[in-house]
Every structure is written in structure tokens, then in C-alpha cells.
Amino acid sequence: KQEVTQIPAALSVPEGENLVLNCSFTDSAIYNLQWFRQDPGKGLTSLLLIQSSQREQTSGRLNASLDKSSGRSTLYIAASQPGDSATYLCAVRPDGTASKLTFGTGTRLQVTL
Amino acid sequence: EPEVTQTPSHQVTQMGQEVILRCVPISNHLYFYWYRQILGQKVEFLVSFYNNEISEKSEIFDDRFSVERPDGSNFTLKIRSTKLEDSAMYFCASNLGAGTGELFFGEGSRLTVL
């Protein structure tokens, strides 16, 4: 059974810092990995999708990498801003299924002034 | 920008009652999903739906749960005989096709069972 773990559970950084969020998964047979942002009491906003054949994806200040063989992904946020404060979730989609995602518990990020 | 919309945003019901949560997926998407998130816990898969039938469901999706696409735009989740443990945020999601993979989620419907 696929297990997805995110470390750290919570992180507080001052504005302007670069930071890395970690995601690990136990079964490397994945089709893709998706990073989401969740604001308190809100839905999930897709940030980046990395296919299993890719090593990284970039969108603005966000860069996600994937090392499928070691079961790891990182989300790098450059020049953090208070508006980046949210919970960040990673989710993996196994090979051979439609789109049943398995989610991690998330990293709660706070960017302070 | 196209988005997944859900109603109601919050529903309170008595244990044993039936609830229907509604979703309007992105218009050209073909795959539809329900996920749920109990407060403080992980987001969990409930069911996927394609071509007017369930393609996959989790063990959470017992016979009290059902989904329907009654017309060309709506996708509903019905929960009969609600239990206290059904209290959660329910998210609808859709994507264009299994090959593309990127899921788009709605804002969620918070269900409180008393």
C-alpha cells in the first residue's frame, strides 16, 4: 500500500527566504506526482504536476523535482512571500489506475514579515 | 479560468438523514472524482467516475454512498443514512483524461453530521 510522507509538518520562515518542502513515497511505481496548495478551510489548488518520466517542473518561483527510484520529491519555493503561507500537499498517482491520488499529510508553511 | 464549483459550501444534517452534495466539473473534462478530508487528516479518495459509471472506489465508499451525473453538467454525491463519522470536507475533482493526469479540485463542501 502506497504511503506518502511529508517533512516537515510545519515550517516558519521569514519573508524572502528560499525553502524546500519534502515528500517521500513508499512505492516507486507511480504515474505522476502533483503538488497542491491548500488555504485554511479551502479547496486544493494545483501547483505543479510531474510525470514519472520527468525530473522537474517549474512555475514562477516554484520548482518541483522528482526522483522516482528513491521515492522522493521536493518543492522549492524561491524568495518566499507572506502570501505563500498555506498548507502544501503532495499526492502520487499509481501506475495502472485512473486518477486515484494518495495524499501526504502536508506541510503547513508560514512566511512571516 | 475554468473551475470546479461545489454546492453547498456547508451542510448540517442529523444522523440518519440523506444528503446530496453537488458539483459542476470543468466543462470539457471527462473524469470526475470525489475525495474527502476529515478535519486534521489526509485527503482520501472516495470514487472515480467515467463514461457514466464508477471506474474505481475506495473501501470508504460503502453502499450508503452513490454518485450520479444526472445531466451534462452536474455530478452528485449522495450519502444515505448519514453517520457522525461522515463529517468531513468533501471535494469534487475533475480532469480532462486519464493520460493528462492533472486534477482540478473544487472549494469543497463541509458536511457536519449531528
Side-chain angles (χ1 to χ4, degrees):
Chain A
K1 181 184 172 186
Q2 179 74 270
E3 297 287 342
V4 181
T5 304
Q6 292 186 245
I7 295 174
L11 181 63
S12 181
V13 300
E15 182 179 13
E17 271 203 10
N18 303 324
L19 58 104
V20 175
L21 308 181
N22 297 290
C23 172
S24 61
F25 45 95
T26 55
D27 186 347
S28 62
I30 65 168
Y31 188 83
N32 59 38
L33 183 147
Q34 198 167 349
W35 282 93
F36 295 90
R37 168 187 172 135
Q38 185 176 30
D39 292 285
K42 298 292 187 180
L44 309 178
T45 301
S46 178
L47 297 174
L48 289 163
L49 172 73
I50 310 179
Q51 303 293 348
S52 62
S53 58
Q54 297 175 318
R55 297 285 292 181
E56 65 179 277
Q57 281 285 337
T58 298
S59 176
R61 294 182 294 108
L62 305 179
N63 176 276
S65 68
L66 174 63
D67 184 342
K68 183 181 167 182
S69 61
S70 68
R72 294 182 181 182
S73 177
T74 61
L75 179 67
Y76 174 84
I77 303 176
S80 58
Q81 303 171 356
D84 295 331
S85 299
T87 295
Y88 291 80
L89 303 173
C90 73
V92 298
R93 175 185 155 186
D95 273 336
T97 69
S99 265
K100 174 186 173 182
L101 298 181
T102 299
F103 281 82
T105 47
T107 293
R108 191 170 66 253
L109 172 66
Q110 182 173 11
V111 181
T112 57
L113 292 169
Chain B
E1 185 175 321
E3 59 181 14
V4 177
T5 59
Q6 291 186 239
T7 55
S9 57
H10 189 193
Q11 177 143 6
V12 181
T13 191
Q14 294 293 322
M15 187 171 54
Q17 297 297 304
E18 174 182 290
V19 297
I20 297 177
L21 306 179
R22 292 180 168 81
C23 169
V24 179
I26 294 173
S27 62
N28 63 337
H29 284 187
L30 301 176
Y31 290 79
F32 315 113
Y33 312 86
W34 286 99
Y35 284 76
R36 79 172 186 186
Q37 185 178 34
I38 295 172
L39 189 62
Q41 298 187 21
K42 293 184 178 184
V43 177
E44 303 172 287
F45 169 80
L46 291 178
V47 66
S48 59
F49 190 86
Y50 169 70
N51 199 27
N52 281 320
E53 61 182 25
I54 291 173
S55 49
E56 190 171 3
K57 61 183 180 179
S58 72
E59 59 190 22
I60 302 169
F61 195 88
D62 62 30
D63 57 7
R64 299 181 301 113
F65 290 79
S66 62
V67 289
E68 190 179 30
R69 187 157 164 82
D71 52 43
S73 59
N74 290 285
F75 179 52
T76 62
L77 173 68
K78 181 188 292 185
I79 310 174
R80 298 188 308 274
S81 303
T82 50
K83 302 178 180 180
L84 297 177
E85 54 263 39
D86 295 330
S87 295
M89 181 76 92
Y90 287 81
F91 294 109
C92 176
S94 68
N95 66 355
L96 183 57
T100 61
E102 185 174 13
L103 251 62
F104 295 88
F105 282 76
E107 289 287 298
S109 293
R110 179 167 297 285
L111 175 64
T112 302
V113 182
L114 302 176

